[in-house]
Amino acid sequence: MEEPVIETELSTIASEEEIYVTRPNLPPLESLLPSLAAIWESGRLTNNGPFHRRFENELGKHLGVGNVNLFSNATLALIVGLEALRILGEVITTPYSFVATTHALQWNGITPVFCDIDERTFNIDPDKIEALITTRTSAIMPVHVYGRPCEVDKIQAIADKYGLKVIYDAAHAFGVTMKDKNLLLEGDMSILSFHGTKLFTTFEGGAIITRDEKLKKRIDFLKNFGFADEVTVVGPGINGKMNEFQAAVGLLGLQIVQDEISKRKSVAEAYHKRLDGVRGIKTYAAPDEVSYNYAYFPILIDEEEFGASRDEVYERLKRHNVFARRYFYPLISDMPTYRNLPSAGREHLPVAGRVADHVLCLPMYGTLEPKSVHAICNCIRNDR
Ligand code: T4K
């Protein structure tokens, strides 16, 4: 039976608290103070200091991977990763992502070629990749959108057939584990983000995960201006280094991330309970075959069936102090910087266009209270 509207709860949201799409999961402040004291005492602030070395090591163990390169943010990690693999020409990628994915290609002088997405996963549609390959194609750059894994086997088969590299933007995929393989070891590299809006955060931060030790070394040089030693510069490096403060936060964050995932799972269950089956609203269950991280909670709103458009719902929630986000709208391929590319027309990207126009990411974080989820859902469902 439908639950009654609880008007008082709607007004509670409106008057008392602002609810954002996410809130950071931070370790207790007291737990950080000894690390800060150690940093202050040593005077070692950055450039591969002891916290950086420890975090790189602990993170590798946590993720079950051998080679980790820490970065000051994921955008620089993407830029350096592409340079480290010497990617040139054209790269096939998705228009349905945060704009940093495509910007990283542009910063490397690479032409992005947009491929449509799969409507079940919101990830690049592997069946549409081959038609976009030309003599200039050097790589595929998919994104595990919302932490939902791409069809990695299909993508690798295409890459092997045409001799292409695969760089996964895994910014959303921290903590997603698969039964039979390590998602982060798929392709030639995976890039994680530890931004303040992410499930696991170091304020700003990111990492590259690779299977190749030589590649890790090259990335270490490139993120430090290209220095291989005090006098040798081996490539067009940049400053992408994570500092000691970020690494200290990361070390503590590893201890609390699993608990955050469990709490988010409960939040997701509460949303499903109240939104599944509502006409015109599509929710997405955790993907099969993985232990999911509940990084985001996207819904699609069909105006005709639901009786209100995505933007109307977005604005209504805002009036009640709930700041959901339209990740990822607009499509990257619709942005002025990219819309004149031959692959950017909406006619080539019908699924991505449809999803971008109907998607809304609801607030998702471990401390989001059940009564807030309840009120958010009532606001979406009943107050039309
Ligand atoms: N690839 C993908 C697929 C990505 O999604 C991203 C980043 C990247 C690459 C690049 O990673 P980084 O270089 O950032 O490491 C946010 C983030 O800035 C961005 O990191 C993230 N993706 C993207 C999906 O979302 P905005 O513009 O939506 O952020 P903002 O500031 O509006 O924050 C959203 C809400 O989060 C706020 O309303 C409140 C809450 N919030 C935010 C911040 C910054 C907090 O509670 N605390 C905070 O410190 O882009």
Side-chain angles (χ1 to χ4, degrees):
M1 212 177 72
E2 290 272 296
E3 287 173 46
V5 189
I6 302 176
E7 273 302 336
T8 48
E9 287 194 19
L10 295 181
S11 46
T12 305
I13 303 182
S15 60
E16 280 177 15
E17 45 165 342
E18 298 196 328
I19 297 182
Y20 300 105
V21 69
T22 191
R23 296 304 283 164
N25 179 37
L26 293 173
L29 181 57
E30 318 78 74
S31 66
L32 183 65
L33 297 180
S35 307
L36 290 184
I39 293 169
W40 256 246
E41 196 170 325
S42 70
R44 184 65 185 225
L45 309 184
T46 187
N47 287 9
N48 200 23
F51 282 95
H52 184 286
R53 289 197 299 274
R54 245 182 78 207
F55 181 39
E56 217 165 65
N57 191 27
E58 295 291 316
L59 182 61
K61 279 197 231 154
H62 184 97
L63 300 173
V65 301
N67 301 306
V68 176
N69 293 91
L70 297 174
F71 274 81
S72 48
N73 61 65
T75 305
L76 279 168
L78 284 164
I79 289 171
V80 171
L82 290 163
E83 171 62 35
L85 285 169
R86 299 182 170 88
I87 304 295
L88 294 165
E90 294 175 0
V91 169
I92 298 172
T93 189
T94 171
Y96 191 77
S97 181
F98 188 60
V99 69
T101 311
T102 311
H103 281 347
L105 296 171
Q106 189 78 0
W107 274 76
N108 279 277
I110 296 163
T111 306
V113 175
F114 295 113
C115 179
D116 206 4
I117 60 169
D118 181 317
E119 63 190 335
R120 292 160 306 136
T121 63
F122 303 141
N123 293 327
I124 198 165
D125 184 343
D127 296 335
K128 296 189 180 146
I129 292 176
E130 261 185 288
L132 299 170
I133 295 174
T134 70
T135 50
R136 298 191 66 225
T137 310
S138 58
I140 307 169
M141 190 154 82
V143 180
H144 302 300
V145 176
Y146 310 135
R148 304 170 73 85
C150 294
E151 290 187 77
V152 291
D153 293 338
K154 276 193 182 178
I155 292 170
Q156 196 57 53
I158 297 166
D160 291 344
K161 184 170 164 191
Y162 292 91
L164 306 177
K165 302 277 187 205
V166 183
I167 299 104
Y168 281 105
D169 181 336
H172 304 169
F174 192 104
V176 178
T177 52
M178 303 181 97
K179 262 194 223 127
D180 56 339
K181 54 175 64 128
N182 189 325
L183 182 62
L184 298 176
L185 293 177
E186 292 299 309
D188 294 277
M189 62 174 60
S190 293
I191 286 92
L192 291 164
S193 169
F194 310 145
H195 182 259
T197 55
K198 296 293 186 281
L199 166 76
F200 174 84
T201 185
T202 57
F203 286 46
E204 293 274 1
I208 299 182
I209 311 298
T210 58
R211 275 177 282 114
D212 179 348
E213 221 163 289
K214 261 171 82 185
L215 186 57
K216 171 176 162 53
K217 238 199 166 111
R218 180 164 162 79
I219 296 167
D220 272 334
F221 298 156
L222 288 176
K223 76 172 189 188
N224 185 26
F225 310 99
F227 280 115
D229 59 42
E230 220 178 295
V231 290
T232 317
V233 171
V234 297
I238 200 165
N239 183 357
K241 290 166 279 130
M242 176 177 274
N243 67 45
E244 289 290 276
F245 172 78
Q246 289 171 292
V249 173
L251 276 164
L252 293 169
L254 291 178
Q255 296 169 19
I256 56 173
V257 65
Q258 205 47 48
D259 185 47
E260 172 71 8
I261 292 174
S262 311
K263 287 180 180 154
R264 285 175 179 233
K265 185 170 186 232
S266 304
V267 173
E269 284 164 358
Y271 274 130
H272 280 297
K273 205 166 140 207
R274 296 199 151 69
L275 294 178
D276 286 2
V278 174
R279 232 181 96 112
I281 291 197
K282 229 187 215 167
T283 57
Y284 293 85
D288 294 337
E289 304 294 312
V290 299
S291 169
Y292 186 50
N293 65 359
Y294 302 90
Y296 293 83
F297 196 89
I299 59 171
L300 291 198
I301 299 173
D302 179 321
E303 178 172 5
E304 235 164 72
E305 286 195 6
F306 184 63
S309 71
R310 182 273 310 272
D311 289 345
E312 282 164 351
V313 174
Y314 166 76
E315 293 298 338
R316 183 198 311 154
L317 284 167
K318 254 209 235 171
R319 284 196 298 280
H320 290 287
N321 273 343
V322 178
F323 299 91
R325 292 298 287 266
R326 291 165 291 189
Y327 297 135
F328 290 100
Y329 167 85
L331 276 188
I332 300 174
S333 47
D334 284 342
M335 294 176 180
T337 329
Y338 300 112
R339 69 178 170 217
N340 292 325
L341 289 168
S343 62
R346 278 270 179 137
E347 67 280 15
H348 307 301
L349 308 164
V351 181
R354 206 163 50 241
V355 174
D357 290 345
H358 295 93
V359 73
L360 191 61
C361 282
L362 301 183
M364 171 49 87
Y365 48 93
T367 53
L368 186 62
E369 292 185 30
K371 74 170 178 12
S372 301
V373 174
H374 191 154
I376 291 165
C377 294
N378 278 344
C379 186
I380 294 170
R381 291 188 335 185
N382 302 105
D383 180 23
R384 295 182 232 160

